[in-house]
Amino acid sequence: MPIPADAVHHNARVYTLDPALPWASVLVVAGGAIAAVGGEELLDEIAGTPEVVNHHGGFLMPGLADVHNHHMLAGRADLFELQLDPTTDVDGVLDAIRAWSSALPPGAWVVGGGWGTGLIPALSDLKALSALDEAAGGRPVLLRDDSCHNRWVSSAALAIAGIHAASADPTDGIVVRDPSTRAPVGLLIESALIPVERAYASLAPVGVAQHAEASRRAVEILHSFGVTSFQDAATSLPLLEALKHLDDTGRLDAWVVTSLQVNDKIFGTHPLGQDLIGLRETYRSHHHRPDFVKIFLDGVPPSRTAAFLEPYLPDAVHEADWRGETTMSQEELTGWLLRTAAQGLSAKIHCTGDRSVSMTLDAVAAVRAAGHTVPAFHIAHGQYVAEQDVPRLAELGVVADISPPLWFPGAIFDAICACVPRERAEKLHPNRSLLDAGVLLAGGSDWPVMPSPNPWPGIQGLVSRADPTGTFSGRLWPEQAITTAEALHAYTLGAVRAMGLDDVTGSLTPGKSADFVVLDRDPLSVPVEELAATTVEQTWFSGRKVYDRQLTE
């Protein structure tokens, strides 16, 4: 029987990720979906006069997926904000602020991020605050660190937010202060940053059109790296509005899953919890599924806010035997997961310490025992998992959201080693053990916590456990390396299944959306050390070309 087609892609090495037909050379597209996959003999079965695309032997595979990013924040940063290099020292950061501020009108906010968490000790005094004020010309400054969990702010920003020597500290955040005067030094840890974020949002309001522009810009950047589906890991009402606006106007060229914030430690957004959850169906659209909630259960190791089973190294701020804290009790966490599961919602739980992972598994066990077998649960970021908990993830059907790519030596790993004993710090991302236990791995970028959503350095690092850039020497826990095929699965079908999108994308299977990428090399054949340099030549979404490298050069 003739095959109706709008386009025929042929003369390609097609890696389908469909076990029924793993390899092919022809892909037939009709109505934005895959109509047929097979060999060159399919060319004789095509009906009509479709567009014929000859890929000249190029490597073609499903569009990549990103299970964890904050895409609208990243798009906004690309369009409107100062972007810093996390490897830059304090003087370099100040130089960047000075140059950026020189182009701003008096009183304008200096907003951006990316300074390295390892700078926290150097920014923890009034001398650093004075230098920041000078560099910014007295302007209000709001700069996120490379974890997005902390802020460096100026005296003007502190004053606008009402943070001063006599102001109270939040229960789950730290206003770093001068020890003799209690004056804030401009460093805000975790939820202590919320007043400044809210002050900035109220004084510089952004409408739906600009939010949509930021979201669309982020999708364009994701396309340049072959990403056609993703999960926004901490979703606000403005993001829901932006996605709805884009899809209603035919401009959302990706499959998007959102994670509605139950609580907030680092963004200053509202509404939260059930107030936000109750709005979700208003913003559901063809390409957008608001199917998850997001819970921040702890912080991050470099600021000593991740919840561990064993103590941090001693410091001058925390009491002896400090192990971090969680934002909720076991009872509160279990209650939230039970209530959201009853509403048909899955959950992504931020856990960077092994104690928060254990708590989450206990809560999920209660949800499963209550008969809720369908909701998905993600451990984000899958960094530190106690050995005894690895098989529990598999038993409970919990996904390891592995993001950002910290499974090789780097600046963040060095920052962790400064506060966690090295022999424990090195047990980072037990990916091989998780896979062997039967856990689904789902790859993510955590962009803009990471400066780029490019998945290929992370894919190389999963296989080598070495820094793809060569900046940092050695291999981090090399026994936890996985294969290239396993790494590709984590960033394609693994992430797609984790997000609940495998009914429409993730493999090149007839009936699914025609979402695929054309690469400059076969990642399954090249040496491991060449994976990070993989370049996307073209990205196709729903049968339409949405990125062409030749047109961007």
Side-chain angles (χ1 to χ4, degrees), residues 95-417:
D95 287 343
I97 293 168
R98 194 173 290 111
W100 183 269
S101 299
S102 67
L104 298 176
W109 283 72
V110 178
V111 178
W115 57 269
T117 308
L119 297 181
I120 284 178
L123 305 182
S124 297
D125 60 36
L126 291 171
K127 181 180 177 181
L129 177 61
S130 177
L132 175 61
D133 291 341
E134 181 277 325
R139 294 173 177 83
V141 177
L142 172 59
L143 297 175
R144 308 172 188 94
D145 74 334
D146 59 359
S147 76
C148 213
H149 281 248
N150 311 299
R151 303 290 187 272
W152 192 28
V153 304
S154 65
S155 295
L158 289 168
I160 292 169
I163 301 173
H164 47 77
S167 61
D169 289 350
T171 57
D172 54 353
I174 300 171
V175 177
V176 180
R177 298 178 181 276
D178 179 77
S180 58
T181 66
R182 287 199 83 250
V185 303
L187 189 61
L188 305 175
I189 307 297
E190 299 285 347
S191 64
L193 59 86
I194 288 178
V196 180
E197 285 281 0
R198 289 184 174 172
Y200 169 65
S202 66
L203 293 171
V206 176
V208 172
Q210 192 177 109
H211 285 311
E213 182 183 3
S215 177
R216 184 164 171 80
R217 174 57 183 151
V219 172
E220 290 173 349
I221 294 171
L222 289 164
H223 285 161
S224 72
F225 296 112
V227 176
T228 56
S229 61
F230 63 89
Q231 182 167 358
D232 193 281
T235 302
S236 63
L237 179 57
L239 174 53
L240 293 177
E241 293 171 340
L243 292 171
K244 178 69 170 170
H245 178 73
L246 287 175
D247 218 8
D248 284 353
T249 55
R251 295 183 296 148
L252 183 56
D253 293 329
W255 298 103
V256 185
V257 173
T258 49
S259 316
L260 310 169
Q261 288 182 254
V262 166
N263 62 346
D264 179 25
K265 287 174 62 70
I266 59 173
F267 295 115
T269 57
H270 59 87
L272 297 168
Q274 193 59 46
D275 290 340
L276 183 60
I277 293 168
L279 301 173
R280 68 188 186 280
E281 293 305 323
T282 303
Y283 298 100
R284 185 180 298 276
S285 62
H286 179 62
H287 292 114
H288 167 224
R289 301 181 182 185
D291 289 347
F292 278 69
V293 297
K294 172 65 176 289
I295 293 175
F296 288 96
L297 191 55
D298 66 356
V300 291
S303 55
R304 299 173 184 259
T305 51
F308 281 105
L309 294 167
E310 299 296 330
Y312 285 89
L313 291 169
D315 72 345
V317 177
H318 301 89
E319 68 266 21
D321 202 43
W322 175 251
R323 301 168 189 238
E325 294 178 335
T326 56
T327 63
M328 298 180 181
S329 67
Q330 184 71 63
E331 181 180 6
E332 290 171 324
L333 175 62
T334 302
W336 268 110
L337 295 189
L338 283 168
R339 289 191 296 274
T340 53
Q343 297 175 71
L345 286 162
S346 297
K348 186 183 288 288
I349 303 99
H350 172 107
C351 308
T352 62
D354 52 11
R355 180 156 58 92
S356 58
V357 171
S358 293
M359 279 184 61
T360 297
L361 294 176
D362 289 345
V364 173
V367 174
R368 299 299 192 213
H372 299 294
T373 59
V374 174
F377 295 98
H378 296 184
I379 294 290
H381 300 265
Q383 295 173 357
Y384 290 103
V385 182
E387 185 176 356
Q388 65 270 21
D389 281 334
V390 169
R392 295 183 69 203
L393 269 80
E395 292 163 7
L396 295 168
V398 174
V399 174
D401 158 355
I402 53 171
S403 67
L406 301 181
W407 37 82
F408 46 80
I412 293 179
F413 171 67
D414 285 350
I416 295 173
C417 289

